[in-house]
Amino acid sequence: MNDRTRPNRDPVTLLRIMMISRAIEERLIRLYHQGKVYGGAYSGVGQEAPGAAACLAGEPHDLYAPLIRNMSVHVGRGAGPHHLFRQWLARASSPTRGRDGNIHHGDLSAGVYPMISHLGAMLPVVTGGVMARRRRGIPCIGFGFIGDGGSSTGDFHEAVNFAAVFDVPVVFIIEDNKFAYSTPTSRQFRCANLADRAPGYGIEGHRADGNDALALLDLLARLADDIRARPRPVLVAVDTMRMRGHGEHDDFAYAPRELLESYRARDPIAVCRDALLADGRLTDEQWHALEASIRTEVDQAAREVAAEPAPDPRTLLEGVYAPS
Amino acid sequence: MPRREITYLQGIREGLQHVLRTHPETVLFGEDVAAFGGAFKMTTGFLDAFGADRVFDTPIAESAMLGAAIGMATQGLKPIVELQFADFATTALHQLLNNAGTLHYRTGVPVPLTVRAPCGGGFGGGPFHSEELEAIFCHMPGIKVVYPAFPSDARSLIVSAVLDPNPVIFLENKFLYRHVKEDVETDIAPVPLGCARICRPGTDATVVTYGAMVHTAIHAAETVAHETGAEVMVLDLRSLKPLDTQAILAAAATGRVLVLHEAWRTCGLGAEVAALIAEQAFHHLDAPVRRLTAPDCPVPFAPELEAAYRPDEPTVTEALLDLLET
């Protein structure tokens, strides 16, 4: 079941997805502080593991509903740095043609739903998408992402319950990253762990270390294979930490330093790299080469995209409706 | 062509049956719609006819229903969701406004989704089973809103709504379900979205209206004709978004316009129609455009209160007589 020998579950690919995500977001953060990003800048720095692992656990025909911290889902489903910079820099060629900004994008041809800001709202959408694909005979499963804050919404409840009633194979991944904007988890839920909610829906709940990508891949691959064969939703609550403010405008003063440091010591990229170096699946040379090539690719994409044209205001009203 | 009489409810029902029969990518779901046949028995027999994978009940979860329908619509299906009452759309407005209404604009991916929403009062439904929320729906970019008044239009427009590649809110007036009958042909005539229809010709004044008030307006116009000889045109909008602005402007040529709806007054559709006429057909007008609407209060329960709340034939007749004398 837990087959890491399949090419799409290659641990070095897992590491690479996280590294590309991190490099893109670090570059975006820099662009923001240089005043080159229109609007805010939101990142998932420190939370690359769950999305990357979910991408490797899934198949090309699966559906994903990432949220604000899940750059690694976009990267893992094939969105390159050009695609992502175009979106953030609001170029005419952006995936939303400049109609939406920053993290609000997706690529349905790659099975990735574009999020809206209303937390929880995408969970029933990915559930319905999976239902439709399976009805067409495609053995699709879904991955729906939410945070500790989003788990407080009615939509979270409606979607998980809905998927449970219809046995829709969706992995609902709650990334407990300790803060919803500035609000700590003590004001979001009373249960000991968000996985404890699963029995209330009649589904399995799992806890996982959100900063251990290899262990997450093991778990998510096992769950994905299992629910594909025996359709039903599952809940996975991962323990992680948002390593920056809600957005770059937020000084994050409310986060205890020692808490941040404890998670900084378990950075998901470093944890994964060290494990792979330790058992020889990655060499120092490969690591350095990977780092350098990603850096070059990301820098070049950022430069090229910055020179691309902005949307034409004359297109303002295009596409409000699909042509009948 | 053989003709037979059907009710408004039968019209919608037959349109749904037609589109479910001819388009295997359609699915119909909602609360109590399958074995029970729906709160108004609209879908009785559909479960047996089309099977449990196409007609099914859901939990009481409007946001999950509409969200799932959006997901399905992006994956090759044409979902038809029944909201048991239009009033309950308010628990899922974000799915309509922010998800369904923006997806094509943001990504170019169509959302062929139909939301059926029984609405309107006149039967003691009280504040939460009588609401007319069309103005809220019409305010949403990317959403279409349809509201038929006749069995034939209901039958045709539900087909057009389901086959449209956009999210369409199909408002069904509950009062009309069994109160209005019409002779129809066997074949379903195509009626495009966005087209109003003159259902009573006239040259002395115009009522612009939709839904149950179309029938109230026709009766009032007959009374006015009988009492004064004046002929009042009744324009049934049929689609509220897109609005048939050309038909409205042409109908304003009578010089006297009354806009009539059973929805609330402030920011209601009547305000939009009146503004449109003021902007573009002012030169036609012999009198200010009038609005006759429900007042800005929750829909009351007691029959005496609801009768005072909802425009009826005497109040429409009175408003028309007054308008004709202006």
Side-chain angles (χ1 to χ4, degrees):
Chain A
M1 294 295 285
N2 172 21
D3 186 2
R4 281 223 215 116
T5 62
R6 287 162 58 170
N8 66 343
R9 289 180 182 169
D10 166 40
V12 178
T13 306
L14 180 70
L15 177 65
R16 189 165 178 275
I17 292 169
M18 293 197 291
M19 292 170 71
I20 296 172
S21 306
R22 177 74 59 87
I24 290 170
E25 291 197 322
E26 285 182 341
R27 184 65 194 229
L28 285 169
I29 289 166
R30 226 165 80 208
L31 287 167
Y32 173 84
H33 291 292
Q34 290 168 350
K36 291 177 182 166
V37 170
Y38 185 62
Y42 308 86
S43 78
V45 167
Q47 290 179 239
E48 293 86 354
C55 286
L56 293 207
E59 298 287 347
H61 52 244
D62 289 339
L63 291 172
Y64 290 76
L67 278 187
I68 180 169
R69 312 295 170 202
N70 301 121
M71 174 65 88
S72 59
V73 169
H74 298 287
V75 172
R77 295 295 286 185
H82 282 87
H83 175 99
L84 296 160
F85 285 127
R86 282 173 183 142
Q87 173 70 10
W88 283 78
L89 298 179
R91 301 293 91 188
S93 55
S94 89
T96 58
R97 297 165 68 217
R99 278 143 167 73
D100 204 345
N102 47 61
I103 65 273
H104 303 94
H105 64 94
D107 180 358
L108 274 169
S109 69
V112 181
Y113 279 100
M115 64 170 279
I116 67 169
S117 297
H118 304 57
L119 292 176
M122 300 313 296
L123 298 179
V125 174
V126 71
T127 301
V130 171
M131 291 169 85
R133 283 201 169 181
R134 292 185 76 82
R135 206 175 154 276
R136 284 163 49 203
I138 303 168
C140 168
I141 67 169
F143 294 87
F145 291 81
I146 196 79
D148 47 275
S151 78
S152 302
T153 62
D155 269 8
F156 169 83
H157 166 73
E158 287 196 20
V160 176
N161 185 58
F162 195 91
V165 164
F166 290 107
D167 289 323
V168 187
V170 177
V171 186
F172 293 103
I173 300 171
I174 308 177
E175 293 182 52
D176 177 354
N177 70 1
K178 309 298 172 281
F179 289 95
Y181 208 142
S182 74
T183 305
T185 52
S186 59
R187 281 292 166 99
Q188 297 296 346
F189 55 90
R190 182 59 81 197
C191 52
N193 186 285
L194 286 165
D196 298 346
R197 289 188 178 172
Y201 296 110
I203 66 174
E204 295 157 42
H206 298 267
R207 299 180 187 195
D209 178 351
N211 286 29
D212 184 345
L214 292 165
L216 270 172
L217 177 55
D218 275 349
L219 175 67
L220 294 181
R222 180 166 60 77
L223 291 175
D225 294 346
D226 194 30
I227 69 172
R228 198 184 307 281
R230 200 160 62 81
R232 66 200 193 280
V234 291
L235 188 65
V236 178
V238 307
D239 172 65
T240 186
M241 178 70 200
R242 201 182 75 209
M243 298 306 291
R244 305 190 66 87
H246 173 61
E248 287 305 306
H249 57 277
D250 171 11
D251 66 12
F252 209 21
Y254 46 84
R257 293 301 109 181
E258 52 289 6
L259 183 66
L260 271 171
E261 287 316 312
S262 72
Y263 280 90
R264 206 181 307 284
R266 296 198 302 110
D267 180 87
I269 292 177
V271 167
C272 184
R273 176 201 61 199
D274 293 347
L276 298 182
L277 287 172
D279 66 12
R281 282 179 288 179
L282 182 75
T283 64
D284 269 327
E285 293 70 37
Q286 284 172 319
W287 162 257
H288 290 303
L290 203 52
E291 243 197 339
S293 72
I294 290 171
R295 192 71 54 199
T296 307
E297 189 190 352
V298 166
D299 285 352
Q300 188 182 334
R303 266 197 313 276
E304 286 171 3
V305 168
E308 291 182 4
D312 182 345
R314 287 172 298 186
T315 67
L316 174 69
L317 297 180
E318 284 177 10
V320 176
Y321 291 98
S324 296
Chain B
M1 186 72 81
R3 298 179 71 88
R4 72 202 152 83
E5 191 180 65
I6 62 169
T7 62
Y8 181 87
L9 184 141
Q10 276 173 295
I12 298 168
R13 182 178 156 79
E14 289 182 10
L16 288 170
Q17 286 169 321
H18 171 80
V19 82
L20 282 160
R21 203 161 45 233
T22 53
H23 288 78
E25 72 275 28
T26 51
V27 291
L28 184 150
F29 59 92
E31 293 151 13
D32 309 299
V33 297
F36 187 65
F40 298 96
K41 299 299 175 192
M42 178 68 77
T43 53
T44 301
F46 281 34
L47 173 63
D48 289 338
F50 303 107
D53 69 326
R54 294 184 65 202
V55 176
F56 51 90
D57 291 332
T58 68
I60 301 174
E62 280 78 14
S63 181
M65 284 156 54
L66 293 182
I70 292 164
M72 291 175 190
T74 62
Q75 302 297 334
L77 295 187
K78 288 183 168 60
I80 304 162
V81 180
E82 176 177 307
L83 294 177
Q84 202 156 71
F85 289 85
D87 314 56
F88 303 149
T90 51
T91 61
L93 282 182
H94 64 301
Q95 292 291 4
L96 292 170
L97 170 60
N98 299 289
N99 241 342
T102 68
L103 194 68
H104 187 265
Y105 186 67
R106 295 189 300 139
T107 68
V109 174
V111 184
L113 157 68
T114 303
V115 181
R116 292 182 36 235
C119 67
F123 65 102
F128 316 117
H129 292 76
S130 307
E131 286 174 343
E132 290 263 322
L133 302 178
E134 57 269 20
I136 292 175
F137 300 136
C138 285
H139 204 58
M140 300 177 175
I143 301 282
K144 295 187 179 181
V145 183
V146 179
Y147 196 163
F150 292 94
S152 58
D153 280 340
R155 192 174 67 159
S156 297
L157 284 166
I158 189 67
V159 175
S160 302
V162 174
L163 300 184
D164 194 89
N166 293 284
V168 181
I169 296 171
F170 188 86
L171 295 164
E172 307 174 359
N173 190 281
K174 299 189 292 287
F175 186 79
L176 297 184
Y177 270 159
R178 292 177 172 83
H179 276 87
V180 175
K181 294 176 182 170
E182 187 184 7
D183 272 347
V184 295
E185 293 181 353
T186 305
D187 289 344
I188 299 177
V191 175
L193 304 185
C195 292
R197 185 172 76 98
I198 296 169
C199 53
R200 186 185 193 281
T203 50
D204 299 310
T206 303
V207 184
V208 178
T209 188
Y210 54 90
M213 290 297 123
V214 171
H215 303 280
T216 309
I218 291 170
H219 292 141
E222 296 298 334
T223 304
V224 168
H226 183 73
E227 287 183 11
T228 70
E231 292 298 341
V232 175
M233 177 195 293
V234 177
L235 182 72
D236 173 9
L237 290 172
R238 302 197 290 186
S239 287
L240 308 184
K241 195 175 190 181
L243 202 54
D244 190 344
T245 55
Q246 291 313 309
I248 293 168
L249 295 171
T254 61
R256 289 181 163 79
V257 179
L258 173 72
V259 195
L260 169 66
H261 55 65
E262 70 168 291
W264 297 303
R265 185 180 189 81
T266 301
C267 300
L269 212 71
E272 181 63 33
V273 171
L276 174 76
I277 293 171
E279 278 177 342
Q280 296 186 40
F282 190 74
H283 56 284
H284 282 318
L285 295 179
D286 296 323
V289 176
R290 301 284 184 85
R291 282 183 291 164
L292 183 58
T293 69
D296 291 337
C297 72
V299 188
F301 174 72
E304 299 79 3
L305 293 176
E306 193 177 9
Y309 168 88
R310 202 165 173 263
D312 59 8
E313 193 190 320
T315 54
V316 177
T317 304
E318 193 184 336
L320 282 173
L321 291 172
D322 193 48
L323 178 63
L324 286 162
E325 281 169 16
T326 304

